[in-house]
Every structure is written in C-alpha cells, then in structure tokens.
Amino acid sequence: MLQRQTRCAGAVAFAALLCGLPAHAAVPVYGYKIVNTYPHDTQAFTEVLFYLNGFLYESTGLEGQSTIRKAKLETGEVVQKVVVPPQYFGEGIVNWKQHLISLTWKSEVGFVYDLNTLKVQRHFAYHGEGWALTQDGKRLIMSDGTPALRFLNPDTLQETGRITVTYEGKPVPQVNELEWVKGRIYANVWETNMMILIEPHSGAITGVVDLSGLLGAGERPPGPDSVLNGIAYDSTHDRLFVTGKNWPKLFEIRVLPAGQLTKPSH
C-alpha cells in the first residue's frame, strides 16, 4: 500500500498494544532467524508475493508503474512480466489452477490472467478496496485494509463469507499481504514490522512474529513507504520468504520459539 496518513492510527495503535503487553500475554511473540538472503529489485514496490514451482511471483504497485512479474528466486532475474494498465494501482495476486488472479487498489476491478502466458482472460468486480490475496486450496482469501478478511469462491470470484481479525478480542485494521502457511493465515500489518498468524475459522491472532531488524543500518531505502511487505511460502521445502517495498534483499527466515527474540547481526 502507498502511505495513507488517514490510516496510520490503526497500525500505531496495534504496535502500541504489542509494546504494552504483559509478560504473561496469551498471544506469543516470536523471533526469527535468517536462513538465506536473495537479491530483490529495488524498483519493485512490492504488494504481494507467492512462490510456485521454483519461481517467485510478485505484484508491484503505484499507478502507471504496476506490474506482475515472475522471477528466479536465486538471482532475482525477471523471466516474465506484464504491465498493469496505467489507470490501475496493482495489488494482490494468487494462483488458482491455471490462472493468476489479481486485485487493484481502489478501482473495484480484478483481473484473471493465464498463469503461463500472463495474458488477461477476463475481469471481475468487488466492492471496496483490494489489498492482498492468498488461497487455502479450497477458497481465495482477500484483505481490503480493514479488520475483515473475505473468502471468495475461486471459480466465480463471488464472496462466500468473512472473518474479523482480532488481537485479544480487539479488531486489527490494515491487515495487508496474506499467505497460507500450515493451516494458518500469515499477514503483514501495514506500516509495522509485525507479521501476524491468524486462525482462519475465528480470525483470532494466535501469534506475532517481530521482524524488526531484517535490514541492517543504512540498507533500508529512503522514504516512508519502504516498509516490510511481502510474504511467500514454499510448502514443498517448508521455506518462508519475506521482503519489503523497494528493498534490496529478500529473506528466507525461520520463525523461532516464543522468547527467542535475538535479531541477526549485520
């Protein structure tokens, strides 16, 4: 997402809530370990990632600059790219069968592409904003910047239900990039360093991963929008990847048990 001052309050409130947690808080806070580091295009204003068959698929945002790209993980080389029409701000993408489904931010229009050719096959409509997409093998899961996550029929793209994301009973706004990992929904909270783990039936946050310190001093690109954004999971090899907007690196990380919050040295 592009920076939105009108929405900062929600992210700040969530971060403040975390900072004020007592030691016996019911929701565990996890640390991380960097397993591998890969190059990432600093021109990519990352909205969403997913991993499929050895490649990373990435949606980049900004009106007039939005793209959908397929890249080699190890080198970052883009092997296939489509430019989103300039009137749209590209957002969430996900694969479903032989299709790639994408959202746009405020246009209330999504697109269905052929996964192999990245040619547009059709478009669809939805109400509200489009932020991120993932899928659980049966349904698509969509975020829209509010505490709500929508479930969509992957064939008709019609909404079939919703959950509200909550932290100890309180709704959490600005739920952004999504990834389905081992039966839970992992998500970024826009403008924080936190990745939240969501129980898909209730919407309750069952864990928080503090990803502060991934980039070393001086590595973070300038500007307020160069924040953590982007989660991908390789289920075959149990690998979790994260990056940020315009970041020079993409990280493979391992989530550590609660209490092990030591950050990597740079």
Side-chain angles (χ1 to χ4, degrees), residues 193-259:
N193 291 316
M194 303 301 173
M195 182 170 67
I196 55 176
L197 283 53
I198 305 165
E199 203 285 320
H201 300 291
S202 66
I205 294 174
T206 58
V208 176
V209 185
D210 183 355
L211 293 175
S212 302
L214 272 172
L215 286 180
E219 289 186 304
R220 185 181 293 273
D225 297 319
S226 299
V227 296
L228 179 76
N229 205 69
I231 310 169
Y233 181 60
D234 172 11
S235 60
T236 301
H237 301 99
D238 191 22
R239 297 187 295 174
L240 183 65
F241 307 101
V242 295
T243 191
K245 295 179 182 296
N246 305 119
W247 282 19
K249 297 176 181 178
L250 178 140
F251 299 93
E252 178 188 345
I253 64 168
R254 180 177 299 118
V255 176
L256 299 177

Side-chain angles (χ1 to χ4, degrees), residues 3-22:
Q3 186 184 36
R4 303 174 178 85
Q5 293 182 352
T6 57
R7 294 185 173 180
C8 290
V12 170
F14 178 65
L17 181 61
L18 286 176
C19 291
L21 285 179

Side-chain angles (χ1 to χ4, degrees), residues 36-81:
N36 283 304
T37 303
Y38 303 98
H40 181 250
D41 183 2
T42 56
Q43 300 303 307
F45 193 81
T46 306
E47 297 296 345
V48 169
L49 298 174
F50 70 81
Y51 179 93
L52 183 66
N53 298 330
F55 293 94
L56 275 175
Y57 290 77
E58 182 171 17
S59 168
T60 71
L62 301 177
E63 291 176 356
Q65 301 178 45
S66 298
T67 65
I68 296 170
R69 51 181 71 186
K70 175 183 178 180
K72 295 180 179 178
L73 170 66
E74 293 77 10
T75 64
E77 177 191 356
V78 176
V79 298
Q80 200 172 9
K81 182 171 76 172

Side-chain angles (χ1 to χ4, degrees), residues 7 9-11 13-14 131 145-147 165 171-176 189-190:
R7 294 185 173 180
F14 178 65
W131 282 39
T146 73
V165 178
V172 175
Q174 302 198 147
V175 178
N176 197 7
V189 178
W190 171 239

